[in-house]
Amino acid sequence: MHGPEILVRTLSRLSRTDKFGNAWQYHSRSDHHSKVACWGIVFDLLRTCPLLRRHVAAGAVGFGINHEMRDFVHDRQKDLDLVLCTPGSGRPAGKSATLADLVQTYGIDLTPSEAAELAALPTLDRAPVGSVLMALEAKACMTAHQRALPRFYDELNSSHLTVHGASDQAIAAGFAMINMSETYLSPDLNKKNRAGDPEWSRHTQPKDAQIAVDKVRQLPKRSKTGDTGYDALAIVVVDFVNDGRPVELVTRPPAPQPGDIYNYGSMIDRLGHIYSTRFKDL
C-alpha cells in the first residue's frame, strides 16, 4: 500500500503559508493533509480492486471533492473530503478534471514507480455527483491530544452518521492521522514569534498518542447495511514536528499492526471487498 508513504512524503514539504508569511508543513486551518490522505486511499483502491477499475474504465464511476451530503433523517449536512460516485448531470466545479490532475493541484510527491502505476490505471474523472458510492473523511490529531479528543471524535463520528443518514448503501470510510512526536511547532501558537522565539508544544509519548488511538477505536463500526458506524476505518501514526524536518511514518505500537482492523492495509482490503460485493451490479 502506498497511501501512508505518499502522505508523509508530501507533508514533509513546507507547502502552507499563513498570513504572517510563515511556511508550514501542516496547518490546522487547511484541509491539505485530508485531501492528500483521501487521494492516497483512492489510488490504493484503484490499484487493488479490479471491479472499481472496470467501473472507472467504463465511465460508470467518478469522484467529487468537498461534496455536501445531507442527512435525510436529521436534516444535517456535512462536506466530505472526497467521494466516489455515479456521474450526475451538469458539470463539476473546480479545475482539476482527473485524479491524476490532483497530483499537481495538491503537490502530491510520487516516486517514479508510483507515478508509473498511476499512469497505467484507468482515468478517474471528476464528475458532478449523482449517487454517492463511497465517502471518505480524514482527520488529524497533532497536538494537545487530550484536549483535542472530544472534537476529534465528534468530527469523525458525525461523518458516518451523515453519510448513512443520506444513503445507507454508501460506504463510509474514515482515516485518522495521530502525531507521536515529543515536540511540535503549532501554527496557532507561533504566528508572529516563529522565527525569533518559537513556543514548543511538548507531548508525553507514547502515552498521548495511545490515548488518541484508543479514542478512535471507540468509534462505531458496522458489518452490514442498516447498522450504525463506519464501514472501514484506518489509524495512521506519524512523527511530525512541523518545523521543516521530514515526517516519519510510525509502524511500532501504538500504530495498528498488520492484521489489526485499523491497520491501513486492512482498511483498503475491506473497502475493496465491500465495494465488490455491494456494487457488483452497478
Side-chain angles (χ1 to χ4, degrees), residues 3-282:
E5 292 289 352
I6 292 171
L7 178 64
V8 298
R9 195 186 310 129
T10 301
L11 295 184
S12 292
R13 296 178 174 177
L14 295 164
S15 62
R16 309 293 98 185
T17 303
D18 63 24
K19 65 180 181 180
F20 302 102
N22 299 310
W24 302 97
Q25 296 157 278
Y26 171 93
H27 198 293
S28 59
R29 304 293 185 271
S30 168
D31 64 355
H32 177 246
H33 60 285
S34 299
K35 294 297 189 291
V36 175
C38 292
W39 188 96
I41 292 170
V42 174
F43 179 44
D44 279 331
L45 271 174
L46 277 170
R47 293 175 53 247
T48 58
C49 182
L51 181 63
L52 177 59
R53 288 199 301 273
R54 291 199 295 272
H55 286 168
V56 169
V61 172
F63 74 93
I65 300 172
N66 291 333
H67 174 64
E68 178 186 297
M69 293 194 75
R70 184 171 293 275
D71 180 345
F72 177 77
V73 179
H74 298 99
D75 195 24
R76 59 189 167 195
Q77 60 106 49
K78 186 174 180 64
D79 291 342
L80 278 300
D81 290 320
L82 194 150
V83 299
L84 294 177
C85 60
T86 59
S89 58
R91 299 181 61 183
K95 296 180 180 179
S96 299
T98 69
L99 187 74
D101 291 338
L102 294 180
V103 172
Q104 182 175 357
T105 302
Y106 297 152
I108 295 172
D109 190 348
L110 300 180
T111 65
S113 61
E114 290 164 351
E117 284 193 71
L118 177 62
L121 293 171
T123 299
L124 178 60
D125 293 316
R126 188 171 183 178
V129 177
S131 297
V132 172
L133 307 175
M134 184 183 298
L136 308 177
E137 179 81 337
K139 295 295 180 184
C141 182
M142 301 299 289
T143 189
H145 295 69
Q146 289 188 342
R147 188 169 71 247
L149 281 186
R151 181 177 180 181
F152 182 54
Y153 181 93
D154 288 346
E155 288 180 342
L156 282 167
N157 196 47
S158 66
S159 294
H160 73 81
L161 290 170
T162 303
V163 171
H164 293 141
S167 171
D168 189 52
Q169 290 294 317
I171 301 169
F175 178 97
M177 181 174 73
I178 295 171
N179 192 11
M180 206 171 96
S181 69
E182 294 186 354
T183 58
Y184 181 73
L185 199 61
S186 168
D188 289 333
L189 299 179
N190 294 275
K191 297 174 181 177
K192 295 183 179 180
N193 58 316
R194 176 178 177 177
D197 186 24
E199 180 177 343
W200 290 92
S201 301
R202 304 195 181 278
H203 309 141
T204 303
Q205 299 294 9
K207 178 183 176 182
D208 288 346
Q210 183 70 66
I211 290 171
V213 168
D214 290 343
K215 190 65 176 179
V216 176
R217 287 179 179 270
Q218 294 174 13
L219 285 162
K221 300 164 291 294
R222 70 177 193 170
S223 60
K224 62 182 184 298
T225 57
D227 287 350
T228 298
Y230 274 106
D231 293 280
L233 181 61
I235 302 170
V236 168
V237 179
V238 294
D239 190 328
F240 199 154
V241 182
N242 206 29
D243 67 344
R245 276 177 270 184
V247 183
E248 296 182 4
L249 187 66
V250 177
T251 57
R252 65 186 182 279
Q257 300 300 291
D260 189 310
I261 62 171
Y262 298 96
N263 180 269
Y264 179 86
S266 298
M267 180 195 70
I268 295 297
D269 289 343
R270 181 169 175 80
L271 287 176
H273 172 73
I274 295 173
Y275 182 93
S276 296
T277 55
R278 196 169 296 175
F279 301 119
K280 62 181 183 298
D281 297 324
L282 185 68

